[in-house]
């Protein structure tokens, strides 16, 4: 069974603090993605990766960094968290076959509140 | 301007009734269209993928259509169950790079006994 696990499930951070959101997948998928979900916007792509050592900017990368140290792990880093980054963050993995043929598996999300 | 518009925003039906969710989009190019189900507090689960002009798919009680000329898709849910209560999200893929997806805000479906 494909699995994507995010941690923590909930996080409260202070403005200016550093936040790291973690994602682990046991699917051996090449592609991994970080999205944020806000009311009125749908999910928006922050960063993605094609494999260990690679990170690419998505549609809204400003204020975020990403790290893919291994096939299984993909982290999202907020070096200086701001209240505008309060959101629900989703990680996903994909089997990398491309386009419509790629199956995507999502984690359960991390709810981040920046005070 | 929202590139993927879903309607209605919310819908309440009685268990056993059928319902239809709509998705209109302006994304170009439109390589494919996906429908996802999102339970409250959970991640998205894929229901179906439509690729071709006038594509139709069926997945149990879920069926979907795609009209690329009209840039319009529908998701039909037949004989709704309480477990169908969720947000249904329409997603358009612009090209073969899967990361380039445009998500709608979703339709919140509530199924009542």
């Amino acid at each position: 069974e494909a699995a994507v696990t995010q941690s923590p499930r909930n996080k409260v951070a202070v403005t200016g603090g550093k936040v790291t959101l973690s994602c682990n997948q046991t699917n051996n998928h090449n592609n991994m993605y970080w999205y944020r979900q806000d009311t009125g916007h749908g999910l928006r792509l922050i960063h993605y990766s094609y494999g260990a050592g690679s990170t690419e900017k998505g549609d809204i990368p400003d204020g975020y960094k990403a790290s893919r140290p291994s096939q299984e792990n993909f982290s999202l880093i907020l070096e200086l968290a701001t209240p505008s980054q309060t959101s629900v963050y989703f990680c996903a993995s994909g089997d990398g076959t491309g386009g419509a043929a790629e199956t995507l598996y999502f984690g359960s999300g991390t709810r981040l509140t920046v005070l | 301007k929202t590139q993927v518009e879903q309607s209605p925003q919310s819908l309440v039906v009685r268990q056993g009734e059928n319902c239809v969710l709509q998705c209109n989009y302006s994304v170009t190019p439109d390589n494919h269209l996906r429908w996802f189900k999102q339970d409250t507090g959970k991640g998205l689960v894929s229901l179906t993928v439509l690729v071709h002009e006038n594509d139709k798919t069926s997945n149990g009680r879920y069926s979907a259509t795609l009209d690329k000329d009209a840039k319009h898709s529908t998701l039909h849910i037949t004989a709704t169950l309480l477990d169908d209560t969720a947000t249904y999200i329409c997603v358009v893929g612009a090209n073969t790079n899967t990361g380039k997806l445009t998500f709608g805000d979703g339709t919140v479906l509530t199924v009542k006994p």
Side-chain angles (χ1 to χ4, degrees), chain B residues 14-61:
Chain B
R14 292 281 178 196
Q15 182 176 336
E17 292 179 342
N18 302 333
C19 64
V20 182
L21 283 56
Q22 313 280 352
C23 177
N24 289 287
Y25 62 91
S26 57
V27 179
T28 300
D30 50 349
N31 175 268
H32 63 277
L33 185 145
R34 301 169 184 258
W35 283 95
F36 286 92
K37 179 185 179 188
Q38 184 180 27
D39 291 323
T40 301
K42 297 290 180 65
L44 282 67
V45 175
S46 181
L47 294 175
T48 192
V49 180
L50 302 112
V51 179
H52 306 293
E53 172 63 39
N54 296 321
D55 227 358
K56 292 186 170 80
T57 61
S58 182
N59 177 8
R61 294 180 297 103

Side-chain angles (χ1 to χ4, degrees), chain A residues 2-3 11-12 14 16 24 29-30 32-33 37 41 57 60 63 66-67 86 88 96 114-115:
Chain A
K11 172 76 177 175
V12 178
V14 295
N24 176 273
H29 288 163
N30 289 328
M32 294 187 75
Y33 308 90
Q37 184 177 38
H41 285 283
K57 292 182 180 179
I60 52 164
S67 174
T86 292
V88 181
V114 183
L115 302 175

Side-chain angles (χ1 to χ4, degrees), chain A residues 9 31 33 35 37-45 48 50 57-59 90 97-109, chain B residues 2 31-34 36 38 40-46 49-51 87 89 91 95-106:
Chain A
R9 287 300 311 272
N31 296 350
Y33 308 90
Y35 296 92
Q37 184 177 38
D38 304 287
T39 304
H41 285 283
L43 272 75
R44 291 178 290 173
L45 182 64
Y48 60 104
Y50 291 123
K57 292 182 180 179
D59 298 322
F90 286 96
T97 52
E102 177 163 7
T103 303
L104 296 176
Y105 298 88
F106 283 80
S108 296
Chain B
T2 304
N31 175 268
H32 63 277
L33 185 145
R34 301 169 184 258
F36 286 92
Q38 184 180 27
T40 301
K42 297 290 180 65
L44 282 67
V45 175
S46 181
V49 180
L50 302 112
V51 179
T87 299
I89 298 174
V91 184
N95 53 36
T96 56
N97 180 341
T98 301
K100 301 298 183 185
L101 301 174
T102 304
F103 290 75
D105 284 346

